[in-house]
Amino acid sequence: MRVGSSLEGMTTYEGKKIVITGGSSGIGLAAARLFADGGAHVLITGRTQAGLDAALEQLGDRAVAVRSDAASLPDTKALAGTVRERFGEVDALFVNAGATASAPFDATTEEMYDALFDINTKGAYFTVQALAPLMREGGGVVLTTSVVNVLGVDALSVYSASKAALRSMTRSLARELLPRKVRVNAVSPGPIDTGILDRSFPADVAETMKETYRSTNPMRRVGVSEEVAAAVAYLAFGATFSTGTEFPVDGGASQL
Ligand SMILES: NC(=O)c1ccc[n+]([C@@H]2O[C@H](COP(=O)([O-])OP(=O)(O)OC[C@H]3O[C@@H](n4cnc5c(N)ncnc54)[C@H](OP(=O)(O)O)[C@@H]3O)[C@@H](O)[C@H]2O)c1
């Protein structure tokens, strides 16, 4: 299923310079495709060179890839240097790199807790800190949170909290970047079929989770990455009188 295809073939983002962390797969890759198809220059990151190479094949000449671990501050500082070199100013920053893991509260380890917060929260925070100085006046930052940051879901206490912290940071960073005329908003996906569940959990667990999401979602389905990418594009460029907000793309799951 392809959503938001009305933008295909148009030059909506001609000449724009966009950085997407976690841009080699799923939601980040769908956003990169949308922007590159619309004429933007896109810089994507990920940790795996093979994933970045495969993404570049889809994205074509307007895209470049930088191997960078969002959980590493030295990597993030080096990324800012590369972005400055390649792009100078940045029109939009999509801070999307994230990870998920599940465990009941009483089985959660310190290692799992630290790993999730390092990528989802600390990594996102310092990515904005490193790249905000490069943002053009009027530019947009979009952070990927999750609908579980407002829900109490079994076995996702740490992941949910890591994204709730990021939702809070969306407000604070929006306030602090106001003087630079940079907007900061969040996109909050519900269950999106990106393969993240299949990669993060054993097959039977992933399938049970997907079936639960489908059967309990008000729209009785999970979403696709292109539906999130369309919201990201709006928040990054169209939402010129919005900052500090969070936009759910979840079939109504967090609202109905
Ligand atoms: N899919 C959903 O249902 C859903 C729902 C709510 C929120 N989200 C959020 O949406 C975002 C994207 O998820 P997705 O489902 O599209 O996942 P995905 O398909 O697994 O893609 C994740 C992307 O992030 C990269 N990445 C992971 N850890 C990284 C790190 N430490 N540093 C840099 N890049 C890293 C991955 O590449 P490498 O592995 O090569 O690093 C990949 O490009 C995440 O923040 C996730 O928490 C997803």
Side-chain angles (χ1 to χ4, degrees):
M1 181 177 173
R2 213 161 151 81
V3 180
S5 56
S6 59
L7 287 173
E8 275 174 358
M10 292 175 61
T11 53
T12 321
Y13 308 108
E14 195 68 54
K16 300 290 186 202
K17 291 169 182 166
I18 300 165
V19 176
I20 301 176
T21 69
S24 60
S25 160
I27 292 166
L29 179 57
R33 236 181 352 242
L34 176 65
F35 290 133
D37 286 352
H41 297 280
V42 180
L43 186 149
I44 60 168
T45 75
R47 293 160 306 171
T48 317
Q49 193 59 49
L52 291 167
D53 292 344
L56 283 186
E57 271 179 33
Q58 289 188 37
L59 295 172
D61 293 347
R62 291 200 191 90
V64 290
V66 177
R67 199 151 70 82
S68 179
D69 182 348
S72 154
L73 263 65
D75 273 21
T76 300
K77 283 184 185 153
L79 173 68
T82 307
V83 171
R84 186 191 296 276
E85 232 171 68
R86 296 267 188 156
F87 280 179
E89 283 192 322
V90 174
D91 295 281
L93 168 62
F94 181 27
V95 181
N96 171 70
T100 186
S102 141
F105 163 65
D106 55 8
T108 294
T109 61
E110 184 182 11
E111 189 187 21
M112 178 182 145
Y113 186 103
D114 287 344
L116 286 179
F117 269 82
D118 278 354
I119 298 171
N120 295 343
T121 314
K122 183 175 159 188
Y125 184 88
F126 285 104
T127 299
V128 181
Q129 188 191 63
L131 291 175
L134 304 181
M135 296 288 300
R136 183 184 61 74
E137 201 172 276
V141 176
V142 182
L143 306 169
T144 306
T145 57
S146 169
V147 291
V148 296
N149 70 13
V150 291
L151 301 170
V153 177
D154 266 335
L156 283 180
S157 57
V158 179
Y159 176 74
S160 306
S162 73
K163 293 293 191 176
L166 190 57
R167 197 279 168 259
S168 169
M169 288 170 180
T170 307
R171 290 193 171 96
S172 308
L173 302 183
R175 169 66 69 183
E176 292 206 39
L177 288 174
L178 264 184
R180 296 197 214 166
K181 298 189 169 54
V182 170
R183 295 169 299 102
V184 183
N185 292 291
V187 67
S188 178
I192 307 296
D193 192 4
T194 62
I196 194 172
L197 295 180
D198 305 286
R199 285 188 295 277
S200 306
F201 303 109
D204 56 328
V205 178
E207 201 35 59
T208 305
M209 287 172 86
K210 278 193 261 185
E211 190 39 48
T212 306
Y213 291 146
R214 273 185 217 108
S215 60
T216 56
N217 188 278
M219 293 192 183
R220 296 287 181 269
R221 68 174 177 90
V222 296
V224 296
S225 296
E226 286 76 8
E227 290 174 302
V228 185
V232 172
Y234 174 67
L235 292 170
F237 290 104
T240 50
F241 198 45
S242 300
T243 196
T245 65
E246 182 184 56
F247 186 81
V249 182
D250 64 352
S254 62
Q255 310 296 319
L256 308 184

